Structure formats: C-alpha cells, structure tokens
Amino acid sequence: MSAVLGHIHFWLYKKIQLIAEREQIIKKEAQTRLDDLADELYATAIDLYGKPIPPDRQLDRIIDHNNIHGWLHNQLQTSSVREATFIKDLTDCGGDDGIDAVLEAFIKQGAMCGTEAKEKLTAQTAPAIYTVMQDYYVNGMPCDPSDTVIEQTDTTFSWYGNHQNQISYWKTAGVNPIIMAAAFQAWFSAFVSHVAPDFAFNVNLDGDIPVYTIAKS
C-alpha cells in the first residue's frame, strides 16, 4: 500500500476530512440560532452532494487505487462545494444569524487546528506558521498553483488572498464570495493566534485584492 499511497495523499485526505468536520460545527452553530431550519438546509446539501465520508474510514480501504489523483480531486471538490452550498443556504435563509453561525464555526475550528499545530511548529517565525497552516487549510490539490507570496521575513509573511484554488467551488455553489472570504479570514486569524500567540493575522488591500499577512504582534 505504501508504494501506491504516499504521505501526500494521506495529508490531503486529512484536510478533506477537516472540511467535513467543519460542516458539523457549522450545523451545530446554526442549530442554536435557526433551530430546525439548520437541519433542513443541511439535508438539502446532503441530497445534492451526498454524505461526507465518516471520519473513521481509512483512506487505503476506500480510495480508488486505479485513479488516486482523480478520487482525491473528486472528494475535495464534493466536500468544498457541499460546504459552500450549506453556507449559501444558511446565509440566504438565515440572514445575520446564519452568517454568525458560519463565522463562529470557522473561528472554532481555526482555534482547534491552531492549538493542535503548536506541536508541529518548527520555529517561531511567520513563514513557519504559514507552512504549518497548510497542513490544515485546504488550498487546492498539491498540483494546483500556490499562493502568490509578496513578502517573507522571520516576522512577516504576506500573500495575495484571492483564494484562487477555492473560487471555482464557490462559483459552483453560488455562494457570496465576500462571505466565504470573511469566513476563511476568521479561520486564519483564530489559527494564527492559537498556534503562536505572539503573531497575528491581518488583512489589507492592494487595490481590490486582499493581502493576507502573518506578522509578529
């Protein structure tokens, strides 16, 4: 099995599982604000895109060994679009309560991931924080273009926050990209503050394009 499935496949599968985990956090937050409507909207997303893979399913037992890349890409796409569809319906039907539920869920998961990532952080530098964040944040397939880095020093790491590897999923779901960007910004901020409290995540604009920065406080 190890000759076929490299560590990169397990790394990506774990990140796909985190999307499913976040869906459940979103649903729980939405239930406290929207009651049965949250369940109805989540059921709609499931009807459209199927149920998430149960968290206890081992990758080597479920993956298509004859089409590893295609299987992983399909799971990434399905998970991302299902989550974005659920978020669209929550924010369309639930208004401010739906938006608050989504943002709170992203903050909670970002904080949990950042706390876990402390043990993986190789150095108290901005680039090291960005690197370890990639173990948790789904930033496309490994073969997709990487973020465009603007500045990189021990105390500062900046990149264009155009979400180039997520935007196609958002378009498929029809979700407001402003809401999705805000949700991921909330996730980044919570992650950074928990993985390295001496650093913070900030958002600025370069024209119309957001610039994301991890910087020492």
Side-chain angles (χ1 to χ4, degrees), residues 59-180:
L59 178 61
D60 58 313
R61 295 181 179 274
I62 60 175
I63 198 171
D64 181 354
H65 288 267
N66 295 316
N67 185 22
I68 292 173
H69 183 276
W71 189 91
L72 286 167
H73 180 268
N74 181 66
Q75 293 302 320
L76 173 57
Q77 182 178 41
T78 300
S79 298
S80 298
V81 174
R82 183 178 55 237
E83 180 188 49
T85 297
F86 184 35
I87 291 172
K88 176 187 185 299
D89 290 344
L90 281 174
T91 55
D92 284 352
C93 301
D96 289 344
D97 285 337
I99 293 173
D100 289 345
V102 171
L103 293 178
E104 183 62 26
F106 272 73
I107 290 169
K108 284 189 174 181
Q109 195 200 44
M112 289 188 291
C113 291
T115 299
E116 179 185 303
K118 279 184 176 181
E119 297 181 2
K120 298 182 180 182
L121 192 61
T122 58
Q124 292 290 318
T125 66
I129 294 168
Y130 173 84
T131 297
V132 76
M133 189 168 71
Q134 303 307 308
D135 288 341
Y136 297 87
Y137 163 55
V138 176
N139 196 13
M141 292 288 287
C143 55
D144 287 336
S146 59
D147 292 325
T148 300
V149 178
I150 302 170
E151 181 180 2
Q152 182 174 347
T153 69
D154 281 351
T155 57
T156 302
F157 189 97
S158 297
W159 70 101
Y160 283 122
N162 55 9
H163 295 276
Q164 61 180 338
N165 293 325
Q166 290 81 37
I167 197 72
S168 64
Y169 306 137
W170 303 351
K171 287 181 178 178
T172 299
V175 67
N176 187 335
I178 295 175
I179 292 175
M180 293 303 298

